[in-house]
Amino acid sequence: MEIALSLHRSQTPLMGSSSPGNLSSLGRCFASKERDWCHPFSRICCSSMERRLRPKPKKGGHVERQVTVLEDTPIWKPSSSAICRQIEKLVVCNRYREAMELFEILEVGHNGFDVGGSTYDALVSACVGLRSIRDVKRVYNYMINSEFEPDLFVMNRILFMHVRCGLMLDARKLFDEMPERDSASWMTMIGGLVDSGDFSEAFRLFLCMWEEINDGGSRTFVTMIRASAGLGLVQVGRQIHACALKRGVGDDNFVSCTLIDMYSKCGSIDDAHCVFDQMPEKTTVGWNSIIASYALHGYSEEALSLYYGMRDSGATIDHFTISIVIRICVRLASLEHAKQAHAALVRHGYGTDIVANTALVDFYSKWGRMRDAQHVFNRMRCKNVISWNALIGGYGNHGQGEEAVKMFEQMLQEGMIPNHITFLAVLSACSYSGLSERGWEIFYSMSRDQKIKPRAMHYACMIELLGREGLLDEAYALIRSAPFKPTTNMWAALLTACRMNENLELGKLAAEKLYGMEPEKLCNYVVLLNLYNSSGKLKEAAGVLQTLKRKGLRMLSACSWIEVKKQPYVFLCGDKSHSQTKEIYDKVDSLMVEISRYGYAVENETLLPDVDEEEQRILKYHSEKLAIAFGLINTPYWTPLQITQGHRD
């Protein structure tokens, strides 16, 4: 009988495959296993000891031992070409992090690896995809250390990598040292300057490029039109426009859409519409640009009319179009149009789009339809911080502070990180609803838990909260203890609190601070005027009125509008232009008589002292009363009325 006893030394499994997973694993453990490579696996052998049992030897005999040494086990070592190929494959599959991990093999102790231009191109794409400054420096340093001589294509890619990752100083140095440059080099650098907001330097570099290569395609003009918009100089934009027409790219859709945007941002809406009219093919982006331009400048009705023109033309309506329309409906307070936009959102297959649905949440929240806002919010598969902010702000603005705080807490539980707008919304909700204790907890948690420094707007909310509780001394102390210079919003919050609590002395102090910071802002004078008026200080109120007249400041008439049977109607204070004027005024008079029975003092309704009878009459028939009376006359009693007011400036 023969018994074989084997003693085995443990060894790490060897990889004979070049699969991405194996190579990635090798890259991760390479640095920690570096010492193992100093001891070739050929020195580690498996030995076995054979012992044969023979007939019992004679006395003095011995057992013969034999040791068999196995042949060297072949070890797979990665070659530079295999690693480079694998990096390129990973980048094609958008597996950028794994590609950079594999790149570590080239960095750690293998300076002799030869890397070609295609691999560097892949590494550039990985750095851009990750937006990692550290990886940019790693790749560029390895290229320098390996004495690689890139051609113009690779140099442009390296320049692009620096620009896209925000390393503009390094990019400019690299650009200046390039021995050869083409239009791609120039436009990469100029585009980076425009994206970073350095519009003046972008124009200087553009003029240098024009002198050197005198070349410009549609991409060049799109970039420089964007720079013109950034500077807000319509004359410069017009010159670029003329140059584009001379070069024959003025009819390019990308150029036209950028021109519309530029003219709009520079305040020349007529030029924007002219460019739109001259477009040979009115694309979806073109329609969106001109609609957004009109909406940006407050021409909501015209923007809505353009939207219906877009729909009738057969152009494709996308989620961005519907988002603009919903925001227009917010301004117009048009629930009917908003419902149509909501239906179009679902009909065109954008029912889950985060941007459009967030706009819907914002619309329903601003107009008090919180049940609809919550319904849209709950159906959203994906929510961002803007979605949460819109809902929280909606609950807060409509006096549902506890619900706003509840949504804020749910937001934190779901792992969403709040921003300063979130805290502004929830602190305002606490202020409006008198949730003092909860408001202070959230205020302190900003810096403690979320590492967000409270801004002036957050301090203003807390001043309002203290003012609503009548704690004016504490509110003034909070202003003085702020870690920055108090802003107009903070002093305005204190002034409003003083008016609510009729604290004349502190109100005068806040007003003086505001006058020094915003001497031409009418509302500051009006608040102090009302404070004097409500305190019976008519002489002081008359002095404020004289100051208003001396400065040439006058109160503009407020305007209110109401939508009846899908048709908007606008009313001004003392308006007599409507065909139903007599019925409207009679209805207001009857309403005043009726509500006076419940304690409403009609005779005390005055804003300014020393007003004449005509002004007093106008105040009696202000725009909101006229709109309500018109709505009651022309709608059934069960129909809810929604009044929108444009406040005085």
Side-chain angles (χ1 to χ4, degrees):
M1 183 176 65
E2 185 177 72
I3 300 176
L5 301 177
S6 300
L7 301 177
H8 298 277
R9 297 187 65 175
S10 64
Q11 42 183 14
T12 305
L14 304 178
M15 292 183 292
S17 168
S18 60
S19 65
N22 291 338
L23 286 176
S24 179
S25 301
L26 178 60
R28 284 192 294 271
C29 69
F30 196 91
S32 63
K33 300 293 185 180
E34 186 177 359
R35 294 183 180 179
D36 293 347
W37 289 94
C38 300
H39 304 284
F41 281 92
S42 57
R43 298 185 181 180
I44 302 176
C45 60
C46 276
S47 61
S48 62
M49 181 177 63
E50 293 184 1
R51 176 177 296 175
R52 296 182 179 277
L53 298 180
R54 294 187 176 87
K56 189 175 181 181
K58 295 180 180 178
K59 201 171 185 179
H62 64 279
V63 177
E64 184 178 351
R65 295 182 179 180
Q66 293 182 349
V67 178
T68 303
V69 180
L70 299 179
E71 296 181 358
D72 289 351
T73 304
I75 303 300
W76 177 86
K77 293 183 179 180
S79 64
S80 61
S81 59
I83 295 175
C84 291
R85 284 196 304 270
Q86 198 60 40
I87 289 175
E88 294 172 19
K89 290 178 182 178
L90 289 170
V91 171
V92 169
C93 298
N94 297 328
R95 295 162 65 178
Y96 303 131
R97 178 51 58 197
E98 294 177 58
M100 295 309 300
E101 290 174 354
L102 196 58
F103 176 64
E104 292 179 15
I105 298 179
L106 304 179
E107 293 180 292
V108 181
H110 289 270
N111 293 329
F113 276 5
D114 185 20
V115 177
S118 60
T119 304
Y120 280 121
D121 186 37
L123 290 170
V124 167
S125 298
C127 293
V128 171
L130 295 171
R131 291 293 180 95
S132 171
I133 295 175
R134 175 179 173 272
D135 290 333
V136 170
K137 294 186 178 296
R138 284 173 56 198
V139 171
Y140 188 61
N141 289 337
Y142 185 85
M143 181 184 298
I144 298 300
N145 294 334
S146 62
E147 299 181 355
F148 174 75
E149 295 184 3
D151 56 16
L152 180 58
F153 173 79
V154 176
M155 280 302 300
N156 284 339
R157 291 286 290 161
I158 296 168
L159 179 66
F160 174 75
M161 172 179 70
H162 283 79
V163 168
R164 286 298 297 271
C165 294
L167 299 172
M168 292 306 299
L169 293 178
D170 293 339
R172 185 58 186 267
K173 183 175 181 295
L174 186 65
F175 176 80
D176 292 338
E177 294 175 352
M178 287 176 67
E180 181 185 2
R181 292 180 294 218
D182 60 4
S183 59
S185 315
W186 285 97
M187 290 315 303
T188 298
M189 194 66 222
I190 293 172
L193 291 170
V194 173
D195 291 338
S196 62
D198 196 350
F199 307 115
S200 299
E201 185 61 26
F203 266 106
R204 280 193 287 269
L205 206 60
F206 169 71
L207 295 176
C208 293
M209 181 196 80
W210 202 258
E211 291 179 0
E212 183 170 320
I213 62 176
N214 193 19
D215 182 28
S218 60
R219 179 194 170 196
T220 304
F221 290 107
V222 164
T223 304
M224 299 320 300
I225 293 167
R226 288 175 52 218
S228 303
L231 291 173
L233 299 175
V234 69
Q235 291 299 332
V236 176
R238 287 195 177 108
Q239 292 179 30
I240 298 296
H241 187 182
C243 194
L245 291 173
K246 291 178 181 178
R247 287 279 174 170
V249 296
D251 291 337
D252 182 88
N253 281 330
F254 292 106
V255 174
S256 297
C257 293
T258 313
L259 281 169
I260 294 171
D261 181 69
M262 182 272 295
Y263 282 126
S264 172
K265 289 179 178 177
C266 293
S268 184
I269 192 69
D270 291 336
D271 288 334
H273 205 144
C274 181
V275 172
F276 175 75
D277 288 339
Q278 293 176 358
M279 289 181 67
E281 180 186 358
K282 293 176 173 56
T283 62
T284 299
V285 178
W287 279 105
N288 289 346
S289 299
I290 192 63
I291 293 172
S293 297
Y294 273 92
L296 176 67
H297 290 279
Y299 299 109
S300 301
E301 291 86 356
E302 292 83 351
L304 200 59
S305 177
L306 281 168
Y307 163 68
Y308 289 125
M310 175 185 182
R311 186 189 62 183
D312 296 340
S313 71
T316 302
I317 293 176
D318 62 6
H319 65 285
F320 185 71
T321 314
I322 300 173
S323 300
I324 300 172
V325 173
I326 294 171
R327 287 180 173 87
I328 293 171
C329 294
V330 172
R331 288 186 182 177
L332 294 177
S334 175
L335 181 61
E336 186 62 31
H337 287 118
K339 287 181 176 179
Q340 292 180 19
H342 191 172
L345 186 71
V346 177
R347 186 169 61 252
H348 287 88
Y350 300 111
T352 60
D353 180 77
I354 188 171
V355 176
N357 278 278
T358 297
L360 268 176
V361 173
D362 182 59
F363 172 82
Y364 287 130
S365 297
K366 283 180 176 173
W367 298 109
R369 304 181 70 89
M370 295 310 302
R371 184 175 297 178
D372 292 332
Q374 186 72 62
H375 176 72
V376 174
F377 182 83
N378 291 340
R379 290 177 62 87
M380 292 175 65
R381 296 178 184 175
C382 181
K383 307 176 183 70
N384 58 18
V385 67
I386 303 175
S387 314
W388 286 96
N389 291 350
L391 191 64
I392 293 171
Y395 278 119
N397 291 334
H398 294 285
Q400 302 182 50
E402 293 183 356
E403 195 66 29
V405 172
K406 177 182 175 182
M407 294 306 300
F408 174 71
E409 293 172 347
Q410 182 180 336
M411 176 184 182
L412 297 179
Q413 291 173 1
E414 295 189 13
M416 184 66 65
I417 299 175
N419 58 16
H420 66 280
I421 300 296
T422 313
F423 281 101
L424 177 63
V426 70
L427 289 176
S428 296
C430 292
S431 174
Y432 294 155
S433 301
L435 304 177
S436 176
E437 184 177 346
R438 192 69 184 97
W440 284 107
E441 289 177 3
I442 295 172
F443 180 74
Y444 289 127
S445 72
M446 285 184 65
S447 53
R448 184 186 66 236
D449 301 334
Q450 302 298 332
K451 311 303 179 186
I452 299 176
K453 282 187 176 182
R455 305 186 184 185
M457 61 181 75
H458 304 111
Y459 274 85
C461 284
M462 303 314 295
I463 293 167
E464 288 180 2
L465 191 151
L466 290 169
R468 290 176 186 273
E469 296 183 341
L471 303 174
L472 297 183
D473 292 336
E474 289 81 353
Y476 181 52
L478 183 62
I479 290 180
R480 298 185 63 182
S481 65
F484 42 77
K485 184 178 179 180
T487 64
T488 56
N489 288 338
M490 296 168 67
W491 287 116
L494 181 62
L495 178 58
T496 303
C498 291
R499 181 197 170 192
M500 293 171 57
N501 294 276
E502 298 185 359
N503 189 319
L504 193 58
E505 294 302 319
L506 193 56
K508 288 172 62 177
L509 172 64
E512 289 173 0
K513 295 289 186 181
L514 284 169
Y515 293 164
M517 300 169 75
E518 295 179 334
E520 303 300 325
K521 193 165 185 179
L522 178 65
C523 64
N524 297 329
Y525 296 90
V526 173
V527 174
L528 182 62
L529 190 63
N530 288 332
L531 176 59
Y532 281 133
N533 204 26
S534 60
S535 302
K537 304 287 185 179
L538 297 184
K539 183 177 179 181
E540 289 81 356
V544 176
L545 184 61
Q546 291 300 319
T547 302
L548 286 173
K549 292 180 178 179
R550 187 175 66 252
K551 288 180 172 288
L553 300 174
R554 54 187 287 275
M555 293 181 62
L556 301 177
S557 297
C559 122
S560 300
W561 63 90
I562 182 173
E563 187 174 297
V564 175
K565 299 177 182 178
K566 303 182 182 180
Q567 179 69 33
Y569 295 89
V570 181
F571 294 89
L572 299 174
C573 287
D575 197 343
K576 289 188 175 182
S577 61
H578 200 275
S579 59
Q580 292 180 283
T581 296
K582 187 178 185 307
E583 295 92 328
I584 293 171
Y585 275 67
D586 289 344
K587 186 67 174 178
V588 170
D589 291 337
S590 65
L591 287 173
M592 293 302 101
V593 172
E594 185 174 349
I595 64 176
S596 63
R597 298 171 184 165
Y598 296 91
Y600 181 75
V602 180
E603 64 277 7
N604 294 329
E605 187 180 310
T606 180
L607 177 65
L608 304 176
D610 303 329
V611 297
D612 57 26
E613 292 183 3
E614 178 64 18
E615 289 176 319
Q616 185 70 35
R617 187 190 66 79
I618 290 176
L619 288 172
K620 182 179 179 181
Y621 298 104
H622 65 65
S623 61
E624 285 180 304
K625 290 179 180 177
L626 298 178
I628 292 172
F630 175 79
L632 292 174
I633 293 171
N634 292 279
T635 59
Y637 70 90
W638 63 80
T639 303
L641 301 179
Q642 184 164 304
I643 311 298
T644 307
Q645 185 182 44
H647 293 284
R648 295 180 178 89
D649 190 7

